[in-house]
Amino acid sequence: MLRTLKSAILGGVRLARTRWAVMGKGRFLRHGEHLHVGTNVRLWAPHHLNLGTNVYIGRDSHIECNATIGDHVMIANRVALVGRHDHLFGQIGVPTLFATSVTDPGYPPGLALEEVAVEDDVWIGYGSIVLTGVRIGRGGIVAAGAVVTKDVPPYAIVAGVPARVVGHRHSPEDIPRHEQAIREGHFVFSARGRLFNIVKPGPHRP
Ligand SMILES: CC(C)(COP(=O)(O)OP(=O)(O)OC[C@H]1O[C@@H](n2cnc3c(N)ncnc32)[C@H](O)[C@@H]1OP(=O)(O)O)[C@@H](O)C(=O)NCCC(=O)NCCS
């Protein structure tokens, strides 16, 4: 009883925090249903930040670049998604601190659209950094502490600095079964906490 009450109160706080985090960000932020934004998360983008359905963003994470994030994505605590070319460091005779930056009017429009793309069913581990220009393929995993500078193939596990493939989450034979089960299943991530999640995998799960 006490546990249920505590979960309900904490759930309400979580929900309120997420609503507060997205409030007033309509200029660049679009999101689907069932979003969780943890404590001290910073969400900012020069142009767009599109979040899918069932997205979890852990506490102290910073998304400070354009990003397109798919469905069922888990971003751990202290993750950073940042703009690779936020400051035009190649300008001759100008210290980078004073160089044209992504928030300046003269910043090249093409570069201003660079993004991090995160496909469905991705897990980005604690303390990792992902630079714009990178696509994390469906089902991929970024290990804790990685710095991701290049695309991550679907279902690959990448680790290290710079991140390299260290393994694969599922075998090629298992991937179709996994994806079909997710497509046919019913997954509702609750902004109130894991206790309130709905998890009904499709019939093709072993
Ligand atoms: C990526 C991860 C899931 C892989 O787990 P695993 O399957 O047990 O991986 P393994 O131990 O078999 O690792 C494979 C190789 O990658 C290396 N590796 C694993 N995680 C690493 C990391 N974070 N950084 C650097 N190398 C790593 C291992 O040392 C191993 O190298 P080796 O083959 O030379 O021995 C796990 O290491 C991880 O980082 N999980 C994220 C944890 C997290 O962020 N938790 C927060 C909760 S949301």
Side-chain angles (χ1 to χ4, degrees), residues 131-144:
L131 301 178
T132 50
V134 162
R135 169 171 291 271
I136 303 178
R138 211 172 54 251
I141 295 178
V142 174

Side-chain angles (χ1 to χ4, degrees), residues 17 90 98 154 162 177:
R17 191 195 301 121
F98 297 91
R177 212 151 46 91

Side-chain angles (χ1 to χ4, degrees), residues 106-128:
Y107 193 79
L111 278 185
L113 292 176
E114 265 194 346
E115 68 165 10
V116 171
V118 179
E119 296 184 356
D120 298 347
D121 186 20
V122 161
W123 178 21
I124 304 183
Y126 183 96
S128 50

Side-chain angles (χ1 to χ4, degrees), residues 47-187:
H47 185 265
H48 64 270
L49 179 49
N50 298 325
L51 311 176
T53 296
N54 295 341
V55 173
Y56 177 99
I57 304 174
R59 66 173 169 273
D60 300 318
S61 290
H62 288 184
I63 300 181
E64 299 190 296
C65 62
N66 298 319
T68 299
I69 294 177
D71 299 336
H72 317 310
V73 169
M74 178 163 60
I75 298 177
N77 301 340
R78 298 202 170 207
V79 168
L81 271 49
V82 293
R84 184 185 293 240
H85 300 116
D86 277 357
H87 303 271
L88 298 185
F89 52 83
Q91 292 175 338
I92 303 291
V94 185
T96 306
L97 174 63
F98 297 91
T100 308
S101 91
V102 67
T103 51
D104 292 336
Y107 193 79
L111 278 185
L113 292 176
E114 265 194 346
E115 68 165 10
V116 171
V118 179
E119 296 184 356
D120 298 347
D121 186 20
V122 161
W123 178 21
I124 304 183
Y126 183 96
S128 50
I129 299 173
V130 186
L131 301 178
T132 50
V134 162
R135 169 171 291 271
I136 303 178
R138 211 172 54 251
I141 295 178
V142 174
V147 175
V148 188
T149 60
K150 293 196 172 77
D151 288 355
V152 175
Y155 294 96
I157 300 175
V158 298
V161 181
R164 310 249 186 246
V165 175
V166 295
H168 297 276
R169 183 175 155 201
H170 295 310
S171 66
E173 312 80 70
D174 283 343
I175 290 172
R177 212 151 46 91
H178 171 75
E179 293 188 348
Q180 192 170 353
I182 289 181
R183 264 196 313 275
E184 294 176 357
H186 183 49
F187 300 91

